[in-house]
Amino acid sequence: MLTQLREIVEKVASAPSLIEALDQLVVSTCRAMKTECCSVYIADHERQQFTLMATQGLTKPHYQIELAFGEGLVGLVGSRAEPINVADARHHPHFKHFPGIGEESFGSFFGTPIIHQRQVLGVLVIQQQQRREFDESEESFMVTLAAQLAVIFAHAKAQGMWPDQRDGLHLIGSAASTGVAVARAWWDDNQPRLEQVLPASCLDIEAEQERLSIAIELASAEFRRLRKRFDSELHKETLAIFDLFSHLLNDPMLRKDLFAKVVGGDLAEWAIRQVVEAYSDRFANMKDDYLKERAQDIRELGQRLLFFLHNDDVTEHQWDEPVVLLTRELTAAMLASIPRDKLAAVVAQEGAANSHAAILSRALGLPAIMGVDFIPEKVHNCQVIVDGYRGDFLVNPNRHVLAEYNRLLKEENELTQTVEEELGKASYTRDNQRIHIHLNAGLSADTSIAVNQGVDGVGLYRTEVPFLLQRSFPSEEEQTVQYRAILSTYHDKQVVMRTLDVGGDKPLPYLTIEEDNPFLGWRGIRFTLDHPEIFLIQVRAMLKASIGLENMDILLPMISGIAELDESNALIDRAYREVACYAKEQGKVLKRPRLGIMIEVPSILYQLPALKGKVDFISVGSNDLTQYLLAVDRNNSRVASVYDALHPAVLHAMKHIIDTSNALNIPVSVCGELAGDPVGALLLVGMGYRSLSMNTRNVARIKYILRHISVSEMEQLSRFALKATFADDVRTRTTEFVDERGLGGFIRAGKQ
Ligand code: PEP
Ligand code: MG
C-alpha cells in the first residue's frame, strides 16, 4: 500500500499541469483501490461550490458538474470536513442526481476531504457498483492520500494554477506588520552563477584558504538548518538534496580538490568552478538516471558556495520607485542593506508574525507578511498588493481591488499625518492621567537613531544587532562606542539596555548552536551565564559607555529563576568594581545603574515576591511570554494562528504581573509588541500599567488613542477582556469600543 501511495503522490506532483495531475490521480487511485470510479472535486471558495475536475468511471458530461457547498454527498463531505462512507449512495438523503453521467450505477460511495491549513481544497471520491462499505484499510489509504494531496494542491495554488484564481493570484500568510502597500515586487535574482566565474589567481594563498573555509562552513550551517526545517514535511526531494549537499561538503575528496586548487594559486571562485564542474560532469556521464540528475544539484551546491564567498558584499541596487521585497527569509542585514525609502513592504516565504525580523519590520513601519508560499519567478516584477493587517498578498489584482486598496492607502496616510502632528505632546489620557511612553530600539542596524522628542526614554535597547552583523564577537571598545552613541543620543532620558539575548531565532553566525528546540535552549541569560567572559565584556562596555551620562539601566533577558538573577548580579558587581576604578583613574565617578529583569519566562510569574529588594524594576516581554505560555513557537508559520497575545491566559498573566508588582512596589513596564498594538495598549492601561515601550512607528498612534480615551473607559474594557473566554471576543469588543469613539481607523480587521 505504501509503495502505491508514494507512486500516486509522485506522479501527481510531477505532472506538468493541474489538470494532468488530477487525471493521473483518478486513474492511479482507481487502479490502487481496485474500484470502478474515482473523481476529484475542487473547491471554489469565492463561488462557494465544488466543481468536478477529473473522473475515471463517470461519463464526462457536456456541462460543468457543480455542487454548492453542503449540496450532495460531495458537499456534505466538504461541510463536515470528514470522510463519508456509504454502502447505498442512491438512497442517501444527500444524493444529488446529475443526468447523463451514469452515477446511478454506483452503489457504494467513499468521499474524503482534501484539507490544507483547515481549508477544504477539494474532495476525493471513490465509487463502486457493488453495494458495500469500503473497509478500514481502504479508508485509511484514502485519508492518507488526501493529506498528501493537500500539500501538492496548496502548492498549485501558490503557483497560480488553481481554477478559482481568475483575478490574479491571492496568497495568504501571517500578518507580520500592519500597513498596506501597492507596488512592484522585486526578487533578488542576482545570485552568483558558476558559468560567470572566469580563471583568476590569488596573491595571498593563506587568506584565500581562509575565505574558502569560511564559505564551506557557512554553507554547511545553512544546509543543516534547512534540512532540519524540512525534516517533518513531505519534501522528500528537498531533504535528499540537502543531505547530498551536506554529504558532499563533508567529503574529504571534494575539500581536498578545492583546497589543492587554491594552494596551486587559483582564486577560491575559480577553484570552485573547476572542481564543481568536474564533479558534475562525472555525474552527468553516469548511466543511472537518478545519478545523472544529481549533476545539477552539484552545480547548485557550487553556486551556494560562491554566494557565501561573497556574502559580505552588499550589492547596491538602484530602484526608481519603492518595491515590495520578496525574500525567502528576512534578516536584519537584508533590511539594513536597502534604503528605507525604496522599500514599500516585505513578503517572506518563511518566518511568522512574531519573529524578530517581523518586529524589525514593524519598527521600520514596513508592512510585512511572513510564511507566504509564492514562486519568486512568477511574482517578480508583477504589481502586487501587500495587506499587512490581514496577511493578504495579491499578485496582479484587478482594477476594482486596486482602487479599493489605493483608497485604504490614502486613509492610512491621512491618519499618520494626523497623529504625527501631535507627536511632540506629552502622553496623557483623556482624563489627564500620565502614561509613560518609551521606545524600543536597537533592532535596526542603524545606531544613529534620531532623538525622538515624543518619548519619555528608551524602554528596551536590544543589543543583539552589533553581535549579529559581525564575523566575531565585537570587542569591549567597539561595544563601548556603540552604547555610548545611544546613551548620548538620549542623554536627558533614561535608557534601558538589555544584555545579550542571542539564541532562539537570533543565532550568531560565528557560533553554531545545534539544538532541536532553540527557543527552549541556549538563549538569553542562559548563554551569557555560561560565557561569563562575554557577559563581563558587555557589561563593562555598557558601564564605561555610561560614565558621565548616568542615564543607563541594565535589563536581563530570559530570567527563569532567582539563581540566574543572583549569578548575573554577582558578575555585574564585579564589572562595576572594575569600571568604577577605571572611572576613578580618570577623575570621574561611575553611577551604579538600576537593574531590572524581563518577565517573559512563565516560571518567574510565580516568583515575583522573591524579586523584592533584588531588582529596581521589571519589564514584561509579552512576545516571549505569549510564546512560552501558549507553547507556540513565535517563529513558526504553521502555528502562527495559535500565537495570540490576547489569549485569556496571557491577559490574566499580564493582570497578575501588574497587581503583584504594584503590591510589591516594583516599577513595571511592558516592552513586548502588545504595548505598541492599539488593542493591547488600551487593555494594558485599563489593567493598571502606566509605562509602555514600543517601536518608533507606534508611538504617535498610541499617544493619540490614549489622549482620546479615559482610564475609566479602558478599565471597563479590560474588565470585559479578563472575563472573556475567547481572544476573538476581546478583539471584536475592542474594535467596537474604538469605533464608538471615532477611532476606528486605528484597528483594522486581522490579527497582530
Ligand atoms: C519580548 O519577548 O517580549 C521582548 C521584548 O523581547 P524579544 O522580542 O527581543 O525577545
Ligand atoms: Mg524576549
Side-chain angles (χ1 to χ4, degrees):
M1 274 303 204
L2 219 58
T3 320
Q4 284 170 314
L5 194 68
R6 197 174 313 126
E7 272 172 21
I8 299 179
V9 172
E10 273 166 15
K11 270 187 194 156
V12 172
S14 59
S17 70
L18 184 67
I19 296 296
E20 285 162 274
L22 299 180
D23 283 341
Q24 268 294 348
L25 170 69
V26 291
V27 172
S28 313
T29 308
C30 268
R31 198 174 305 137
M33 299 298 293
K34 297 191 178 57
T35 185
E36 292 131 7
C37 179
C38 175
S39 312
V40 60
Y41 296 78
I42 292 267
D44 181 338
H45 285 268
E46 223 173 276
R47 292 189 183 162
Q48 297 275 299
Q49 66 183 28
F50 288 104
T51 308
L52 174 68
M53 297 297 291
T55 180
Q56 158 99 343
L58 297 181
T59 311
K60 287 233 175 75
H62 54 276
Y63 60 95
Q64 281 270 35
I65 300 280
E66 286 163 349
L67 292 144
F69 282 180
E71 192 185 12
L73 281 167
V74 167
L76 190 63
V77 173
S79 59
R80 289 176 46 172
E82 61 174 353
I84 290 181
N85 189 357
V86 283
D88 184 5
R90 278 160 300 191
H91 294 105
H92 191 283
H94 259 82
F95 181 75
K96 182 171 163 73
H97 179 250
F98 285 97
I101 62 170
E103 199 171 15
E104 52 283 349
S105 61
F106 298 112
S108 40
F109 171 103
F110 179 84
T112 185
I114 300 165
I115 302 179
H116 184 73
Q117 290 184 342
R118 301 184 183 196
Q119 192 183 47
V120 177
L121 300 181
V123 174
L124 182 64
V125 176
I126 48 172
Q127 288 168 286
Q128 194 170 317
Q129 287 183 4
Q130 182 198 358
R131 279 174 55 168
R132 59 130 179 162
E133 278 195 8
F134 289 94
D135 69 25
E136 260 181 39
S137 71
E138 289 168 318
E139 264 194 54
S140 72
F141 179 91
M142 290 291 285
V143 170
T144 317
L145 176 61
Q148 302 210 9
L149 289 174
V151 181
I152 300 171
F153 282 21
H155 201 62
K157 269 194 129 171
Q159 292 182 353
M161 286 161 57
W162 204 244
D164 71 352
Q165 289 165 340
R166 284 170 291 275
D167 287 329
L169 194 56
H170 182 179
L171 303 173
I172 299 171
S174 301
S177 175
T178 56
V180 168
V182 179
R184 292 229 155 254
W186 184 82
W187 170 262
D188 181 8
D189 63 347
N190 200 17
Q191 300 290 338
R193 305 200 69 78
L194 213 51
E195 54 274 21
Q196 286 165 351
V197 175
L198 297 175
S201 49
C202 64
L203 293 174
D204 184 345
I205 290 180
E206 238 172 67
E208 207 54 19
Q209 283 179 301
E210 171 74 6
R211 272 184 80 219
L212 183 59
S213 303
I214 291 173
I216 293 176
E217 266 325 297
L218 290 173
S220 303
E222 186 191 57
F223 297 147
R224 277 199 300 274
R225 202 168 51 80
L226 291 174
R227 196 205 182 283
K228 202 170 273 174
R229 181 167 311 140
F230 287 101
D231 210 4
S232 56
E233 298 182 17
L234 295 161
H235 301 264
K236 287 210 184 63
E237 284 185 349
T238 319
L239 261 188
I241 291 173
F242 291 132
D243 279 347
L244 179 77
F245 285 170
S246 301
H247 181 74
L248 270 169
L249 271 181
N250 289 321
D251 177 14
M253 275 305 286
L254 182 97
R255 285 188 187 223
K256 204 170 126 237
D257 291 349
L258 284 171
F259 282 100
K261 291 275 182 213
V262 172
V263 171
D266 288 346
L267 202 67
E269 284 83 348
W270 178 228
I272 291 174
R273 178 172 179 182
Q274 295 172 86
V275 174
V276 164
E277 286 189 339
Y279 274 65
S280 96
D281 285 350
R282 224 175 290 158
F283 272 89
N285 289 328
M286 289 185 180
K287 286 214 170 64
D288 182 296
D289 278 349
Y290 177 82
L291 291 175
K292 242 190 193 134
E293 280 175 30
R294 303 286 71 80
Q296 184 51 32
D297 297 338
I298 290 161
R299 292 184 67 82
E300 261 187 44
L301 165 73
Q303 311 227 132
R304 272 333 270 163
L305 282 177
L306 285 183
F307 173 82
F308 281 113
L309 272 182
H310 286 274
N311 90 334
D312 276 349
D313 295 355
V314 180
T315 330
E316 287 287 335
H317 291 273
Q318 301 294 330
W319 298 275
D320 299 333
E321 297 281 326
V323 291
V324 170
L325 174 68
L326 304 178
T327 168
R328 186 169 59 78
E329 192 173 15
L330 188 64
T331 64
M334 191 182 286
L335 281 177
S337 69
I338 301 177
R340 174 64 188 90
D341 62 344
K342 290 291 181 253
L343 268 182
V346 187
V347 178
Q349 290 172 321
E350 292 173 14
N354 284 285
S355 62
H356 283 93
I359 294 176
L360 177 53
S361 314
R362 290 203 276 277
L364 293 170
L366 201 60
I369 317 178
M370 309 262 164
V372 184
D373 184 10
F374 62 83
I375 307 290
E377 296 76 25
K378 292 236 171 197
V379 183
H380 176 65
N381 238 343
C382 293
Q383 181 168 49
V384 296
I385 293 173
V386 176
D387 184 338
Y389 291 97
R390 302 163 51 90
D392 289 335
F393 181 46
L394 303 140
V395 184
N396 291 330
N398 69 31
R399 64 191 165 85
H400 305 294
V401 175
L402 207 56
E404 178 60 17
Y405 271 96
N406 277 324
R407 189 185 60 74
L408 265 176
L409 207 55
K410 194 162 156 265
E411 267 180 32
E412 278 257 320
N413 292 339
E414 283 166 6
L415 191 74
T416 306
Q417 208 182 335
T418 313
V419 297
E420 303 253 310
E421 275 162 15
E422 297 191 13
L423 177 64
K425 292 186 183 169
S427 171
Y428 284 93
T429 59
R430 196 158 69 91
D431 49 351
N432 251 348
Q433 297 221 31
R434 181 83 161 95
I435 310 293
H436 288 90
I437 301 291
H438 300 266
L439 203 64
N440 285 354
L443 260 185
S444 162
D446 181 10
T447 48
S448 63
I449 304 163
V451 181
N452 190 324
Q453 6 101 316
V455 294
D456 295 297
V458 174
L460 170 66
Y461 178 71
R462 292 177 167 103
T463 56
E464 291 80 66
V465 168
F467 286 80
L468 294 172
L469 294 182
Q470 302 226 7
R471 280 208 167 278
S472 60
F473 284 102
S475 67
E476 189 168 320
E477 286 73 20
E478 282 171 321
Q479 291 186 49
T480 309
V481 171
Q482 293 237 337
Y483 304 151
R484 181 92 188 164
I486 305 299
L487 294 174
S488 45
T489 306
Y490 295 93
H491 57 92
D492 56 344
K493 290 168 181 165
Q494 209 58 25
V495 176
V496 179
M497 286 214 158
R498 186 173 74 182
T499 63
L500 196 58
D501 183 17
V502 289
D505 63 348
K506 290 179 287 189
L508 291 176
Y510 39 86
L511 190 97
T512 319
I513 304 175
E514 289 283 333
E515 289 176 308
D516 284 341
N517 295 303
F519 273 117
L520 299 183
W522 214 30
R523 188 196 154 185
I525 205 72
R526 302 169 183 184
F527 171 81
T528 41
L529 283 179
D530 284 352
H531 274 290
E533 75 288 11
I534 295 170
F535 188 72
L536 281 168
I537 288 176
Q538 182 177 40
V539 175
R540 271 202 306 266
M542 287 177 170
L543 292 168
K544 276 188 188 163
S546 77
I547 297 173
L549 287 168
E550 307 194 342
N551 61 337
M552 182 185 71
D553 296 338
I554 292 183
L555 179 64
L556 305 171
M558 294 293 294
I559 295 283
S560 64
I562 306 303
E564 287 166 343
L565 170 59
D566 288 346
E567 284 171 49
S568 311
N569 217 347
L571 289 170
I572 293 171
D573 263 344
R574 195 170 128 192
Y576 175 74
R577 281 195 302 274
E578 287 169 19
V579 181
C581 279
Y582 165 86
K584 203 168 163 199
E585 279 162 23
Q586 305 193 340
K588 294 180 182 149
V589 179
L590 174 68
K591 183 184 167 227
R592 195 178 170 104
R594 295 189 325 146
L595 179 68
I597 65 162
M598 296 278 296
I599 304 293
E600 53 186 349
V601 180
S603 56
I604 209 72
L605 253 65
Y606 302 98
Q607 292 212 284
L608 295 175
L611 296 176
K612 185 73 191 163
K614 288 184 185 276
V615 296
D616 301 301
F617 67 98
I618 56 177
S619 187
V620 189
S622 55
N623 309 336
D624 278 314
L625 190 59
T626 306
Q627 149 163 278
Y628 296 125
L629 268 178
L630 305 184
V632 54
D633 180 346
R634 63 194 261 189
N635 208 22
N636 182 342
S637 51
R638 249 171 295 165
V639 285
S641 61
V642 187
Y643 184 102
D644 196 341
L646 298 183
H647 187 290
V650 181
L651 296 182
H652 281 278
M654 298 306 292
K655 180 69 177 149
H656 169 76
I657 296 166
I658 184 67
D659 289 349
T660 315
S661 56
N662 279 346
L664 293 166
N665 213 5
I666 300 176
V668 58
S669 180
V670 181
C671 65
E673 293 295 291
L674 191 62
D677 171 37
V679 177
L682 293 176
L683 292 172
L684 292 171
V685 173
M687 285 181 197
Y689 286 92
R690 294 293 176 266
S691 171
L692 306 175
S693 191
M694 61 200 67
N695 65 55
T696 338
R697 162 95 171 160
N698 289 334
V699 170
R701 288 177 180 231
I702 298 296
K703 284 173 72 174
Y704 188 91
I705 299 175
L706 293 178
R707 218 182 343 268
H708 289 81
I709 302 179
S710 66
V711 166
S712 55
E713 289 171 297
M714 291 184 252
E715 281 171 351
Q716 220 180 335
L717 180 70
S718 77
R719 271 196 296 275
F720 170 87
L722 288 164
K723 281 198 204 121
T725 310
F726 304 106
D728 278 347
D729 292 345
V730 177
R731 202 166 281 112
T732 310
R733 177 66 202 113
T734 313
T735 310
E736 288 164 5
F737 177 88
V738 289
D739 266 345
E740 287 155 12
R741 286 156 185 80
L743 299 164
F746 288 92
I747 303 175
R748 284 198 46 225
K751 193 177 77 174
Q752 268 278 296

